[in-house]
Amino acid sequence: MNLPFAFDPRRDLPALLRAAGRELGATAALLVAALSAMAFLSIAEEVAEGETRVVDLAILDALRQPGRPRDLIGPDWLHVAAIDITSLGSLAVLSLLILLAFSFLVCLRRWGEGLLLLVGAGGGVAISQGLKLLFGRQRPDMDYRVVEAVNASFPSGHAMLSAVVFLTLGALGARFAERKRLKALALGAAVTLSLLVGLSRIYLGVHWASDVLAGWCVGATWAMACWLAAFAWTRWRSRSIPKNISKEAEV
């Protein structure tokens, strides 16, 4: 019996492993997006019903000196560090990072990655503001706040936008990196920065813990959705371009 093709392990196995790796990445991104979306819906339902109020208030009180809401626990250097870290999730700082990263991608003529970054960030801002208007949740009392804050509380815009921007930049960095250690470093740094920004918002008393959790969930969902869209577009382009070239050659 003659097979239509002969499988050569030395020739075909590396290609199969690379294809499996690409599909595994897309599957993981889809799983993260789905789980994050489900988590957000669960948190949003509990917030709307007021079920998170007791836990949120208990977390804020645990981060303050007993009976003194304005006095944070921990040394003074930690207070200053929290203020510095929380600024990493501000719209001004994130906009500057996006502008620099986009300029870098344009110089490399990576228009697709640059567009992904802009769409991800712009869409994240729109989603964040829309959800804030929809829920209209009040922030913690002024006695708990160490820094000023505007707009509604749910979800945390700092947590969400930092997740969107840093995860997108981390994914792009992992894509450019050749070594697995560098890929892991890029993604690990992105996740760490997102977590630190969100935790600083709780510590400084400008957000409830449920706000930050919801922000992380929405940010991760949107970042993975943008990544999957870019992945699907790249796959479609890689399949369509050869066909177009072959048709032009025939003509």
Side-chain angles (χ1 to χ4, degrees):
M1 179 179 179
N2 295 327
L3 295 176
F5 65 91
F7 178 75
D8 185 353
R10 294 183 179 180
R11 180 193 63 191
D12 299 328
L13 186 58
L16 289 176
L17 291 176
R18 286 193 298 268
R22 290 193 297 268
E23 297 299 335
L24 181 61
T27 302
L30 181 60
L31 181 62
V32 170
L35 292 178
S36 298
M38 292 174 60
F40 169 76
L41 293 176
S42 177
I43 296 171
E45 182 180 1
E46 293 183 0
V47 167
E49 296 176 355
E51 297 180 0
T52 63
R53 174 74 181 183
V54 175
V55 176
D56 285 334
L57 188 58
I59 292 175
L60 282 182
D61 288 334
L63 296 174
R64 273 120 185 103
Q65 300 294 340
R68 293 180 292 173
R70 284 190 174 272
D71 296 333
L72 297 171
I73 61 172
D76 292 338
W77 66 262
L78 183 59
H79 308 165
V80 176
I83 296 175
D84 292 338
I85 291 173
T86 204
S87 64
L88 295 176
S90 66
L91 188 59
V93 173
L94 291 178
S95 298
L96 180 60
L97 288 176
I98 293 169
L99 179 60
L100 293 174
F102 180 75
S103 301
F104 174 76
L105 292 171
V106 168
C107 292
L108 295 177
R109 298 185 181 276
R110 306 302 293 260
W111 304 104
E113 288 84 349
L115 181 61
L116 169 64
L117 185 60
L118 293 180
V119 171
V125 173
I127 293 172
S128 174
Q129 295 302 315
L131 290 174
K132 285 178 179 291
L133 291 175
L134 177 63
F135 287 91
R137 189 185 193 188
Q138 295 295 322
R139 293 180 182 269
D141 295 336
M142 292 296 298
D143 291 339
Y144 288 98
R145 303 184 201 176
V146 179
V147 295
E148 295 294 330
V150 295
N151 297 329
S153 184
F154 185 89
S156 170
H158 276 63
M160 177 183 172
L161 294 179
S162 62
V164 171
V165 174
F166 291 138
L167 288 178
T168 302
L169 291 175
L172 291 176
R175 185 173 182 178
F176 285 122
E178 296 181 356
R179 297 183 179 180
K180 292 183 179 180
R181 291 182 179 180
L182 293 178
K183 294 178 183 291
L185 177 61
L187 294 175
V191 173
T192 301
L193 287 173
S194 301
L195 292 177
L196 288 176
V197 169
L199 292 175
S200 71
R201 303 303 284 173
I202 303 173
Y203 184 68
L204 296 175
V206 290
H207 274 295
W208 307 103
S210 54
D211 298 337
V212 173
L213 287 175
W216 282 334
C217 291
V218 179
T221 301
W222 178 243
M224 293 301 100
C226 291
W227 188 91
L228 286 169
F231 175 81
W233 170 259
T234 302
R235 292 292 299 273
W236 179 82
R237 289 284 295 175
S238 64
R239 292 179 179 179
S240 62
I241 289 178
K243 294 180 181 180
N244 295 333
I245 294 177
S246 61
K247 289 181 180 180
E248 293 177 359
E250 292 176 359
V251 175

